[in-house]
Every structure is written in structure tokens, then in C-alpha cells.
Amino acid sequence: MSENVYLLTICLPLGTILLIFGMRYYAAVMQAKANLAHQEAYRQLAASMATSQAATTAMLSSIDTAMTDIRSRMAAVEKILKDVE
């Protein structure tokens, strides 16, 4: 058996094993990067939702104030109409 064939039979399986481990490592790194990007997008969405919820709460508070004012005016109008009858 020649030296080239001998070295080839030793190096090819070892190279294959190293290639497989390298591919698995690369896949793990890419998966971690994708997971990090997903988590960052989720954080941004949560922050946006918190801001939106605060704005909605403020808007509902102003609507409640307006509705209270409308109810009091409506009660005054009803009282005037009852007095007119």
C-alpha cells in the first residue's frame, strides 16, 4: 500500500468528522442569532404595545370625562323638559 492511499484513508474519515462538527457548530450559531433577533423583535413589540396601551388609557380617561359631562348635561335637559310639561 502506498503512502498516499494510507494517508488518504486516515485523513478522509477524520476530515469528514471535523466537517460534520463544523457544520453542527455553524448551525447552532445561526440558530442562536435567529433566536436573538426574534427576542429583540419581541421586546420592541412589547415596548410598542406598552406605549400604545398608555395612550389608549389616556384616551379612555378623556372619553370617560366627556361622557360624564354629557350625562350631566342630559340630566339638566331632562329636568328642564319635565319642568316645562
Side-chain angles (χ1 to χ4, degrees):
M1 191 183 317
S2 71
E3 286 182 27
N4 291 338
V5 173
Y6 179 72
L7 290 176
L8 192 62
T9 57
I10 291 176
C11 292
L12 281 180
L14 292 176
T16 303
I17 291 171
L18 288 176
L19 182 67
I20 289 171
F21 281 122
M23 290 170 58
R24 289 186 70 190
Y25 175 76
Y26 180 73
V29 167
M30 295 306 289
Q31 186 177 12
K33 284 182 181 180
N35 192 16
L36 181 64
H38 174 70
Q39 288 177 354
E40 184 61 32
Y42 185 74
R43 282 188 196 105
Q44 289 176 354
L45 179 64
S48 173
M49 287 292 115
T51 304
S52 176
Q53 186 175 10
T56 302
T57 302
M59 180 88 55
L60 285 174
S61 177
S62 69
I63 290 172
D64 187 43
T65 304
M67 287 296 292
T68 303
D69 184 46
I70 290 171
R71 284 187 187 122
S72 66
R73 288 181 183 187
M74 185 64 90
V77 169
E78 287 176 355
K79 182 179 179 189
I80 291 171
L81 288 176
K82 285 182 182 179
D83 290 343
V84 169
E85 289 180 355

